[in-house]
Amino acid sequence: MKDKIIDREQFKAMLHDGMTIMVGGFAGNGVPEILIECILESGAKDLTIISNDSTHPGEGVSLLIADNRVKKLIASHIGMNPQTAEKYNAGELDVQLVPQGTLAEMIRADGAGLGAVLTQTGLGTEIEEGKDTITLNGKTYLIEMPIHADLAILRGSVVDKSGNIVYKGTTRTFNTVMATAADVVVVAAEELVEIGEIEPIDVMTPAPLVDYVMGGEPIEL
């Protein structure tokens, strides 16, 4: 079996300018902070970040935005982080806002091999601009395309050395669906355990979806 355990330097060696990176979590909850730190240390820039939000100042994705590493942000909202809006208004950051449910479905569609997502959310708004629509049974839908990333970084509460993941409480968030929609998936583990210590029924993201595991993520209270 492939050894999936990596350290910070091995993770940083995977990074390069211009990458598209999915970041799990919601409002800072479930975000892999040590992997964000490694991206900062790597010097990688001109990144496209796909995340539910840009978190609060001083944590998670906001650290990459503050350090001018992000070229484009695809997210559901940015209201918790005034700096994101400031950079967008100044023309320093491209922000694509996607309704939260639509974003989740676009990611899921990629993982499931679907051709597109049909939704009425966003019709008649700026969300519709530049997009195709289709009428079925008398109803009009936006056609939203699947979304894919070079890398997905996740945070697991308990992870075994093969990559099986358990998330506690609401840390599950976008982590599970993002694990299906990237070329490479890396999880930061709060608790790293031996293979077999996680009951199969408790696994939320199965090992075949995870390429690499890094221990040392601080426990989220």
Side-chain angles (χ1 to χ4, degrees), residues 6-57:
I6 59 171
D7 60 24
R8 297 172 74 100
E9 294 306 314
Q10 288 171 306
F11 176 66
K12 286 189 280 188
M14 302 177 194
L15 305 171
H16 58 79
D17 294 351
M19 291 186 83
T20 297
I21 303 175
M22 288 183 180
V23 182
F26 181 100
N29 189 32
V31 176
E33 296 292 347
I34 60 171
L35 299 181
I36 295 287
E37 291 173 6
C38 288
I39 295 172
L40 285 167
E41 293 169 5
S42 75
K45 59 184 186 300
D46 295 329
L47 304 172
T48 294
I49 297 295
I50 302 166
S51 176
N52 178 71
D53 50 76
S54 58
T55 64
H56 302 90

Side-chain angles (χ1 to χ4, degrees), residues 54 61-70 73 81 83-84 87 93:
S54 58
V61 170
S62 74
L63 297 172
L64 299 174
I65 292 171
D67 206 43
N68 299 313
R69 303 299 185 86
V70 182
L73 174 68
N81 189 349
Q83 190 173 47
T84 305
K87 287 185 176 293
L93 177 65

Side-chain angles (χ1 to χ4, degrees), residues 97-99 102 119-131 133 142 144:
L97 293 177
V98 182
T102 302
T119 178
Q120 292 189 306
T121 303
L123 283 172
T125 73
E126 293 181 3
I127 299 295
E128 183 179 352
E129 293 179 6
K131 296 178 182 176
T133 60
L142 280 179
E144 297 281 9

Side-chain angles (χ1 to χ4, degrees), residues 4 10 45 67 78 89 111 118 128 135 147 162 166 172-173 188 202 205-206 216 219:
K4 296 184 178 182
Q10 288 171 306
K45 59 184 186 300
D67 206 43
I78 59 174
N89 290 330
L118 304 184
E128 183 179 352
T135 300
I147 191 167
S162 70
V166 175
R172 186 169 183 168
T173 61
D202 294 328
T205 295
I219 294 176

Side-chain angles (χ1 to χ4, degrees), residues 101-122:
T102 302
L103 179 62
E105 284 297 287
M106 291 166 69
I107 297 169
R108 187 187 69 83
D110 183 82
L114 303 180
V117 174
L118 304 184
T119 178
Q120 292 189 306
T121 303

